[in-house]
Amino acid sequence: MSRSKSRETRQFRSSSRTRRGENTGADNAPRKRGDTRQNLLDAAMAVMAADQSGLAGLSLRAVAKEAGVSPTAFYRHFSDMEELGMAMLDEIGDMLRRMLREVRKVGDPQQMVQSSLQTFFSFVKENREKFLVLSRERAGGSARMRAAIRNQMSYFSTELASDIQLMGAFPRMTRDDHYRLASMIIQMAVNAVPDVLDLPEDQPETEQALASDMTKQALMLLLGAAHWNADRPAASDSEKDRKNRKGK
Amino acid sequence: MSRSKSRETRQFRSSSRTRRGENTGADNAPRKRGDTRQNLLDAAMAVMAADQSGLAGLSLRAVAKEAGVSPTAFYRHFSDMEELGMAMLDEIGDMLRRMLREVRKVGDPQQMVQSSLQTFFSFVKENREKFLVLSRERAGGSARMRAAIRNQMSYFSTELASDIQLMGAFPRMTRDDHYRLASMIIQMAVNAVPDVLDLPEDQPETEQALASDMTKQALMLLLGAAHWNADRPAASDSEKDRKNRKGK
DNA sequence: ACATAATGTGTACAGTTGTAAACATATTGC
DNA sequence: GCAATATGTTTACAACTGTACACATTATGT
């Protein structure tokens, strides 16, 4: 392997005598003994971000080393790398719920799109590693992982759909339609995650352009929703559409 | 046409006296000597599909074994695993262009959505490994790989946008708008790839449901496009103005 | 026909991987 | 205080990794 970044770490972390009153410091502050599990999770995300491999191609030893812990200590907390991935997903789910809560704070429906996009941007930038994992494992991970991610997104879509429906902006749309709309919006957002992650930090104009583009995408979507079933009295109401009522 | 080309009955059986470990290959038809490069490509896709790892986590030796060649033979064709990935992308790009050509055959704009979706489905099912690579490396691969994939999709979007514009269905939309619409449609399709790939083969009803869902998504998108710029004060309203003045 | 390049094979080696076994220390419950 | 449990370390090993090297075979151009 052409890596050879660091040559064999003899000691993982020497005797940091306890006496650590405070925690929650920066990354390299010595943490308490029991924090190893969290350290492993953080380390895994860090390695995944630094390296460009997915969770499956993640080295247990590399993660342990990054966490400042012996390789075998890994097994005290996770039996498997996939299990660590599931634990990651729990954290990511929490983060997404916080984001949803933030989005819901907006009162004015007129400003809804822009303000939601803004919180989305700031959340992605503040949790880039988590979003990176999310968008990377969504298609690449194990079947179990993919299913779990799909679950998260489905939950998110349901919540958003109910929010939209409560707003009453699209009275002609069924609940299935609302869910579909919400799902499309979320897909749009998740799709943009890599772009947001690759955003150069010093230039806000690129971000502005991306935001404007996403705004237009969302508006076009909402425009379509607003006219849904409005101008198709019977023409396109074929028998096939009515037959399939149940989503997945 | 690409498949059964060489049935040349040369009797020069390659004197494989060594008989290494067991072969997991399903149909190991002896291929000609010079086909190794293609064999490696196919083997890489097969391993990637069987295993669930991305291209980066792919073992050179495993690929070589699957291709039925010695590990060192790999270097005769690719210097790197990433380079093999780029070669893969070339094949995938060809496939996508064939798909686009197929989509363009449709004359009736009324049936456009359904027929396009149908060709999309059949292409995904006939080239599942390639689509798997595409959707997996789109977010997970190396920076170079991701850029290349983005290029492919961008090309595809441009082509589709020009097609749509030539149809003249949305006269109020600028070229940028057309591109955005095309891009959204393609994103929708790429997003659905994992779902299509996970489709159970024995049940056509699930596929029908997915197709119906995608149809509605596309229709909602097109509906939004049809009303784009229709219901707002025309040219003077730039997006900068709208930022503060949206109260009506 | 013959030199040369292209394409393939086997061997070797140093690093890395996951993980088992035995041991050490800290935390907790009684 | 003391056993039990939780959490961590060290050592060890077999399997696997990429790839350098020397060599064998085939294809190709003149």
Side-chain angles (χ1 to χ4, degrees), chain B residues 18 33 36 69-70 72-73 76-77:
Chain B
T18 39
R33 183 174 215 244
T36 300
V69 287
S70 79
T72 47
R76 303 296 182 188
H77 304 275

Side-chain angles (χ1 to χ4, degrees), chain A residues 12 33 36 70 72-73 76-77:
Chain A
F12 303 96
R33 180 173 218 251
T36 299
S70 82
T72 46
R76 302 297 182 187
H77 303 276

